[in-house]
Structure formats: C-alpha cells, structure tokens
C-alpha cells in the first residue's frame, strides 16, 4: 500500500521523496531499544533529534547518534529549547556540523507555559538560516500572516501546531488549520505538536495536511511500539481518506438503500 501511495501521491520535502507521512521525535523514550523498535514499527523515515550541547562529544551521545543512523532514518535536527533567534541560529549551525545535514527544524520558544513559538524571532532566524544554506522546517503557530512571512523568508515547508507541545489535546483551532491548508495549497504542511491519539492524526490528515510530527504521544504511551504503529497507520488512513474525497455532512438522513414502493403495503 505504501509503495502505491508513493507512486500516485508522493510526499516531497526539499527535493527528498518519502513514503511515510509520519515524523517522530526521539526524546523521553523508556530505553534506546524501545525507541528503535518504535521507529521501525511506525514506518517513519524522518526523526527529529535535539542537539544536547552538554553531551555532544560524549560517548553516550555518540552511541545515540549511531543508533539513529543504523535505523536508516533521516535525521531532522531541531533547535528545541532556544528562546532567541541568535541562540537558534547558533544551535542550527552546530547541528549541521554534528549531523552533517542542512535540514533543520527551527524552534524559537516565546512563552513558557504553552511553549508557543516566538513568531518574530522565528521569522528572523528563518531568514538568516535560509541565507546560510539551511533547509528550514519552522515550528510555528496557525497564523496566516506568520506563515506568509516564513514562506517569504525562503521556507519551503511549514509546521503549524495543533495544540501546545506535549498537551495531547488534539486540534485546538480547526478553523485556523483549515484556513492554512486552503491558503497554501502547494506548500507542504506538517502538523507539529499537540496530537495525543491516532484519531487526532487522522483528523488533520483528512483536512489535507501532508504529514504529522509527534513525540510525547508515542514516547509516553503504555506501549510506545504499538502506539507508533498506530500513528503510522493513522497517518496513512487519513491521507487515503482525504484523497478519496469524504462525503459532505448532511442535516437530514438519507437512506443507503433506495426505497421503491413499500413492501407488504397491501397487508397494512
């Protein structure tokens, strides 16, 4: 099924064609072995990795990077924890050296309780990183104006949130996500953050989003491996449903079996 979907409905990020529409984070898993099994079960081809500067050159860090490489997944480093554009730019530059990739998931956090992106710092950092040759995946809000400015800065992918990071709330603002999809039909859009259940992934994929990115919903599940597989299947099911053009909701009932006359009418 995935091979057929790839041929007819390819997902492309910065020239790279992918089969899976699920991206996974790699933080807070019970063990490296469970992380590896979850990635395999999900079928995902891109994993996000935070640059832990305090452990960047340690033996533990090298072991972790080796595990990710052995899985054959593409690494998408992120600037998690950065609070300013300057800090995010410096972290991205270090990540490029460590992981040998010009892909970067750009995060600039502006508010502590919700971990909402600082959209002003985000746009500033995106402009600088694109000029420096990075292929930027910005973690942003669902604001149309911010999205336009990020595209103007040179971003070719947008990653709006559904709800605050780690909240598991699902889609907080359906109207805003639908509006983003409608306004930018040719731009790859990835819902990033806030998804807590596979049904949430199906919901946004049925809206026409290109992929979903999540971490906590899998890493903190009772069975991370089974949950990873569930999300992988949900992303595929949602995309297939979107392409199949779901029926339009109706206010009144419509019989699924046409009624031609009434059986036993003469007996009444």
């Amino acid at each position: 099924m995935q091979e057929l979907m790839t041929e007819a409905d390819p997902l492309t990020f910065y020239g790279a064609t992918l089969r899976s529409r699920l991206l996974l984070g790699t933080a807070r898993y019970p063990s490296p072995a469970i992380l590896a099994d979850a990635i395999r079960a999900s079928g995902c081809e891109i994993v996000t990795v935070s640059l832990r500067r305090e452990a960047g050159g340690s033996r533990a860090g090298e072991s972790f990077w080796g595990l990710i490489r052995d899985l054959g997944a593409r690494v998408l480093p992120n600037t998690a924890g950065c609070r300013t554009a300057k800090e995010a730019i410096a972290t991205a530059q270090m990540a490029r050296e460590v992981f040998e990739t010009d892909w970067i998931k750009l995060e600039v956090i502006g508010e502590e309780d919700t971990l909402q992106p600082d959209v002003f710092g985000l746009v500033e950092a995106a402009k600088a990183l694109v000029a420096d040759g990075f292929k930027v995946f910005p973690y942003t809000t669902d604001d149309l104006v911010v999205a336009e400015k990020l595209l103007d800065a040179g971003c070719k992918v947008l990653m709006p949130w559904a709800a605050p990071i780690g909240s598991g709330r699902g889609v907080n603002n359906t109207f805003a996500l639908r509006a983003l999809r409608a306004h930018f039909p040719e731009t790859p859009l990835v819902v990033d953050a806030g998804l807590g259940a596979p049904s949430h992934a199906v919901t946004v994929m049925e809206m026409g989003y290109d992929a979903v990115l999540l971490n906590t919903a899998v890493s903190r599940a009772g069975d991370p491996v089974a949950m990873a597989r569930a999300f992988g299947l949900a992303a595929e099911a949602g995309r297939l449903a979107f392409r199949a053009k779901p029926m339009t909701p109706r206010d009144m009932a419509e019989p699924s079996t046409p009624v031609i006359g009434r059986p036993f009418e003469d007996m009444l």
Side-chain angles (χ1 to χ4, degrees):
M1 178 64 72
Q2 282 192 335
E3 290 180 0
L4 292 175
M5 284 184 65
T6 302
E7 294 173 3
D9 185 32
L11 172 63
T12 303
F13 293 146
Y14 291 105
T17 300
L18 308 163
R19 296 185 303 275
S20 175
R21 292 178 180 270
L22 173 67
L23 290 70
L24 277 184
T26 56
R28 302 180 66 189
Y29 282 79
S31 71
I34 291 176
L35 166 62
D37 288 344
I39 292 173
R40 293 189 190 98
S42 73
C44 78
E45 297 168 275
I46 298 177
V47 296
T48 63
V49 178
S50 300
L51 179 64
R52 293 175 173 82
R53 282 165 288 186
E54 68 276 14
S58 70
R59 186 179 300 275
E62 292 174 0
S63 175
F64 180 78
W65 313 147
L67 180 150
I68 297 300
R69 284 194 297 269
D70 290 345
L71 290 169
R74 184 159 191 158
V75 173
L76 176 60
N78 67 35
T79 61
C82 293
R83 263 60 181 178
T84 66
K86 182 178 180 181
E87 185 181 8
I89 292 167
T91 302
Q93 291 169 338
M94 287 188 287
R96 180 164 58 183
E97 293 186 15
V98 170
F99 298 107
E100 299 180 341
T101 179
D102 55 6
W103 283 22
I104 192 74
K105 178 189 171 186
L106 179 60
E107 296 184 28
V108 182
I109 300 302
E111 206 281 323
E112 293 300 322
D113 291 331
T114 63
L115 299 179
Q116 179 170 322
D118 173 356
V119 295
F120 303 101
L122 183 67
V123 172
E124 178 187 347
K127 288 179 179 178
L129 290 173
V130 169
D132 193 24
F134 282 90
K135 297 176 174 61
V136 178
F137 295 70
Y139 165 60
T140 183
T141 62
D142 50 22
D143 186 281
L144 289 172
V145 176
V146 175
E148 191 68 65
K149 291 186 180 298
L150 288 168
L151 294 176
D152 289 344
C155 299
K156 305 298 184 184
V157 179
L158 297 176
M159 304 180 74
W161 67 350
I165 294 172
S167 68
R169 293 178 56 87
V171 179
N172 269 353
N173 192 336
T174 300
F175 173 82
L177 287 184
R178 288 191 184 278
L180 271 178
R181 180 69 285 176
H183 275 72
F184 306 107
E186 304 302 323
T187 300
L189 299 180
V190 181
V191 169
D192 176 15
L195 304 182
S199 58
H200 299 159
V202 172
T203 295
V204 297
M205 294 301 292
E206 286 181 352
M207 291 181 193
Y209 276 77
D210 297 281
V212 292
L213 192 163
L214 50 106
N215 188 155
T216 308
V218 170
S219 67
R220 309 308 289 176
D223 185 341
V225 178
M227 189 61 76
R229 175 163 170 72
F231 268 103
L233 293 171
E236 182 176 341
R239 182 64 182 183
L240 283 170
F242 168 72
R243 295 188 62 223
K245 296 180 173 56
M247 64 176 286
T248 302
R250 295 168 49 90
D251 292 331
M252 303 294 290
E254 180 181 10
S256 57
T257 301
V259 177
I260 304 176
R262 292 176 179 269
F264 312 115
E265 188 172 24
D266 294 339
M267 299 175 61
L268 298 178

